[in-house]
Amino acid sequence: MNANDLDVYVYVCDQHVGVLRENTETGLIDFEYLPGVPPELAVSLFMPPDAPPGDYQEYNGLPPPFEVSLPEGMVLEAIRSRFGKTIDVSSDLALLRLVGRHTVGRVTFGGPLEQDASLEQKILAAARTDHAAGRLAEILRSSPQMFGVSGVMPKMSVYAHDRLRPGTVIGHGAIIKFDSPNYTGASLVEYACLKACAAVGLDVPKVEISPDMTSIIVERFDIGADGRRRGFEDACALSGIRRTGKYSGTAEHLFGMIESFVHPDDWAADRAALLKLLVMNDVLRNGDAHLKNFGLVYDDVARPRLSPVFDVLTTPVWIRGDVPALAILKTDPGQPDHWLDAQEIDQLANLAGVSGASVRQMHADCAEAALHSMAKTLKACPPCPQRVALEQAIEIIAEAAQRPLDVENADNAPAWSPAM
């Protein structure tokens, strides 16, 4: 393997495992493992090191598993503003060279993980103060290359062990999210939505909100209790879909991801968790639950599991008339124009292997629990502009909960129960 200036070295857990290379004549991208890379250091669940030579060549863009590290939204705009004259920000490889040592998960690009303890402390301190969103936005504008976290809403990734307020500990790292001018109250509404998901028994990382309600700190689930980074891959990549197609997937792709990569012993638990999360996205009117907002996390490539919940927001607060991000079945691809109806409830039940009646009951139970949880969050919230967004979210969810779901056409599959 001959190195050149266009190569991007790929690392897993800080060990050099391969090279990304662009063909200057065709513009296509190849990935090549180094000789002797063991299976446990695979860059992706569907890119094992022992594949035949040439299997990972001639990609029109980055291989899908690497796209999770590309910046989007406010971070991309900050990079374009600061570096647009010195790098080609339209090139995925150029962006990966810039942010690739500051990624989520265990795969880094250009070298081992690079941490800046003083910057991490600065971010955490800003996230726990009044005027948090403004302070965090300024940090992002000054150092956008440090934030290799994909997503349209502004996010920052930190690793620091830290205690900045009595009784508050940020274990082994966090994702910092904050409001932008067009999404006032988004942090508070997401905080309430995550709390609601936890209230129905879903696996939700620890979350903390700033005193002025403009920023949240979400514990990173891609870092283990021992501080080691874990593998994380989103459903877009694991479905073989490019990130630009994140809205073209379906719930069927998500259940297929579990059947393809999760060990059979874990199928029942992960299917039940996925079903409940899909129901909660409908209950909470989360119109941005696209393929990149689901994924698998793993310490061992042989035993990946459905990841904890992340990125849940009542989007019609800001996008009037918003609709779900994903259709249910692959035969009906594309973004649907309405929330779950009776037919789709039955389709979802069939995918999960339970009865339509049980999914309707789950929906009703989740709506009741979500409204109760969000009311508690609202009661604890001081008067502020962000509170208005949460009030609107609760009104939207309450109105949706009044819509009856047809109870006919229930099948004879096992009924859902809270123990699933």
Side-chain angles (χ1 to χ4, degrees), residues 200-201 268-269 271-273 275-276 353-355 357-363 365-366 413-420:
V200 301
R271 279 196 298 239
L275 173 62
K276 187 184 287 187
V354 298
S355 70
S358 69
V359 178
R360 292 178 179 85
Q361 185 61 55
M362 179 196 289
H363 197 285
D365 292 344
C366 284
W416 171 84
S417 71
M420 286 182 66

Side-chain angles (χ1 to χ4, degrees), residues 184-185 188-189 317 378 381 384-393:
T184 299
L188 176 58
V189 174
V317 172
L378 180 65
C381 178
C384 60
Q386 291 71 31
R387 182 187 173 101
V388 175
L390 180 54
E391 291 172 340
Q392 292 174 344

Side-chain angles (χ1 to χ4, degrees), residues 294-378:
F294 301 84
L296 300 180
V297 64
Y298 52 90
D299 300 297
D300 179 351
V301 293
R303 294 302 290 261
R305 299 297 304 273
L306 185 68
S307 72
V309 178
F310 60 98
D311 282 356
V312 183
L313 189 68
T314 306
T315 55
V317 172
W318 299 273
I319 306 171
R320 186 181 298 274
D322 200 17
V323 292
L326 302 178
I328 304 300
L329 300 179
K330 294 178 182 178
T331 53
D332 186 24
Q335 193 169 11
D337 60 4
H338 61 271
W339 298 94
L340 288 178
D341 61 18
Q343 180 180 5
E344 289 160 343
I345 287 284
D346 288 332
Q347 291 171 346
L348 196 58
N350 287 335
L351 290 175
V354 298
S355 70
S358 69
V359 178
R360 292 178 179 85
Q361 185 61 55
M362 179 196 289
H363 197 285
D365 292 344
C366 284
E368 181 180 0
L371 285 167
H372 179 72
S373 174
M374 296 184 83
K376 287 176 61 178
T377 301
L378 180 65

Side-chain angles (χ1 to χ4, degrees), residues 136-395:
L136 290 166
E138 181 56 37
I139 295 171
L140 187 149
R141 284 191 291 269
S142 66
S143 305
Q145 73 278 14
M146 300 294 291
F147 307 115
V149 185
S150 67
V152 174
M153 294 298 292
K155 304 172 189 171
M156 297 175 171
S157 169
V158 296
Y159 289 80
H161 297 258
D162 185 63
R163 184 186 293 271
L164 295 178
R165 259 188 342 186
T168 300
V169 178
I170 301 298
H172 295 282
I175 300 293
I176 313 297
K177 304 184 184 183
F178 56 94
D179 289 3
S180 64
N182 293 331
Y183 284 84
T184 299
S187 297
L188 176 58
V189 174
E190 179 158 11
Y191 174 81
C193 287
L194 289 173
K195 288 291 188 181
C197 287
V200 301
L202 288 168
D203 184 8
V204 178
K206 293 179 182 178
V207 59
E208 174 188 348
I209 192 162
S210 66
D212 68 348
M213 310 289 158
T214 65
S215 171
I216 56 174
I217 302 172
V218 184
E219 186 177 56
R220 291 182 56 165
F221 56 78
D222 66 312
I223 302 179
D226 58 359
R228 295 179 61 186
R229 278 167 291 139
R230 311 174 69 198
F232 171 74
E233 299 185 53
D234 65 42
C236 205
L238 291 174
S239 299
I241 297 174
R242 308 210 69 84
R243 62 178 180 143
T244 53
K246 62 186 179 182
Y247 292 105
S248 65
T250 64
E252 190 173 359
H253 281 98
L254 299 177
F255 283 100
M257 172 186 71
I258 290 173
E259 292 181 8
S260 296
F261 298 105
V262 172
H263 192 279
D265 289 350
D266 301 320
W267 281 354
D270 278 8
R271 279 196 298 239
L274 174 60
L275 173 62
K276 187 184 287 187
L277 177 53
L278 291 169
V279 166
M280 277 297 285
N281 279 319
D282 188 80
V283 165
L284 297 171
R285 291 305 192 247
N286 178 18
D288 203 41
H290 51 68
L291 287 181
K292 289 179 68 63
N293 284 338
F294 301 84
L296 300 180
V297 64
Y298 52 90
D299 300 297
D300 179 351
V301 293
R303 294 302 290 261
R305 299 297 304 273
L306 185 68
S307 72
V309 178
F310 60 98
D311 282 356
V312 183
L313 189 68
T314 306
T315 55
V317 172
W318 299 273
I319 306 171
R320 186 181 298 274
D322 200 17
V323 292
L326 302 178
I328 304 300
L329 300 179
K330 294 178 182 178
T331 53
D332 186 24
Q335 193 169 11
D337 60 4
H338 61 271
W339 298 94
L340 288 178
D341 61 18
Q343 180 180 5
E344 289 160 343
I345 287 284
D346 288 332
Q347 291 171 346
L348 196 58
N350 287 335
L351 290 175
V354 298
S355 70
S358 69
V359 178
R360 292 178 179 85
Q361 185 61 55
M362 179 196 289
H363 197 285
D365 292 344
C366 284
E368 181 180 0
L371 285 167
H372 179 72
S373 174
M374 296 184 83
K376 287 176 61 178
T377 301
L378 180 65
K379 185 177 180 180
C381 178
C384 60
Q386 291 71 31
R387 182 187 173 101
V388 175
L390 180 54
E391 291 172 340
Q392 292 174 344
I394 292 173
E395 290 176 4

